[in-house]
Amino acid sequence: MARAATEAARIARGVRPEQLDGPTPCAGFDARTLVNHWVLYTSHGLEHRALRKELPKDLTEHDFTTDPEWADAYAAQLERAVAAWADPAVWEGDLDLGGSSMPATAIARMLILELVVHTWDVARATGQPSEVEDDLAVATVGLVEELAEMYRQYDGFAAPAAVPADASPLDRALAASGRDPQWASATASA
């Protein structure tokens, strides 16, 4: 979780304001929409889940990108979120998801998956290289494969994409989530 958060903070700091209206690998999301989703769920949502608190409505409707310092604020929020999950007690028991509950470990694993995959999405949308260490990428492949059908039920993942047999662990995870690992924005570097 901490390594995925560090990479997310690095990618956020590389997003230029003029890139926020560009395309992304996520169907239906421009870069601004994707960044807002990413910031909300992978930092605020991550911390709120650990603290067993509901996300306030004002956060769910907030455009984080209107703050010129949003990337630094996101990095600071990621640090708070990771610190909240550092308490071993947070990983115990169930978390209420508003009508249903899941084990805290399952929620944490889903949030790590979201952090790795959406960080890649933002990196690709903004023309940045994504640096995911092999062991984290291997863990992400397992998470995506385990959770893919559930995500597809809620339109969170598309149908799996094809990749070569010798594809990297990250490319396999992305393809299993329905993303084209070779996707690149024609406008990202413009």
Side-chain angles (χ1 to χ4, degrees):
M1 185 181 289
R3 287 184 290 146
T6 297
E7 176 64 359
R10 184 185 74 78
I11 293 298
R13 288 184 173 116
V15 175
R16 297 186 319 267
E18 65 271 16
Q19 295 173 315
L20 291 170
D21 294 319
T24 73
C26 300
F29 280 30
D30 65 6
R32 183 179 316 279
T33 304
L34 174 60
V35 165
N36 279 307
H37 173 86
W38 181 51
V39 169
L40 177 65
Y41 291 105
T42 66
S43 66
H44 295 282
L46 186 64
E47 181 185 33
H48 279 75
R49 293 288 188 224
L51 300 175
R52 271 69 171 176
K53 293 181 178 179
E54 190 172 324
L55 278 170
K57 186 171 178 139
D58 64 318
L59 272 181
T60 64
E61 297 173 352
H62 185 69
D63 181 352
F64 298 97
T65 65
T66 60
D67 176 0
E69 303 299 321
W70 73 264
D72 290 332
Y74 175 53
Q77 181 60 41
L78 280 167
E79 287 180 16
R80 286 189 293 276
V82 170
W85 281 94
D87 179 356
V90 170
W91 293 80
E92 297 173 7
D94 288 346
L95 293 176
D96 182 9
L97 297 175
S100 65
S101 64
M102 289 181 71
T105 55
I107 297 296
R109 294 171 73 226
M110 288 171 57
L111 291 166
I112 293 168
L113 177 157
E114 292 271 331
L115 193 52
V116 172
V117 172
H118 283 319
T119 296
W120 179 87
D121 291 333
V122 173
R124 280 302 168 111
T126 58
Q128 299 180 69
S130 180
E131 300 171 6
V132 178
E133 296 170 14
D134 279 346
D135 64 330
L136 181 55
V138 168
T140 304
V141 170
L143 292 171
V144 170
E145 290 173 348
E146 175 187 336
L147 300 169
E149 290 312 312
M150 180 188 72
Y151 271 72
R152 285 187 186 93
Q153 288 176 5
Y154 299 99
D155 295 325
F157 285 171
V163 289
D166 63 346
S168 72
L170 181 60
D171 284 358
R172 290 194 332 265
L174 296 167
S177 76
R179 287 160 171 82
D180 174 2
Q182 301 308 310
W183 189 95
S185 171
T187 62
S189 59

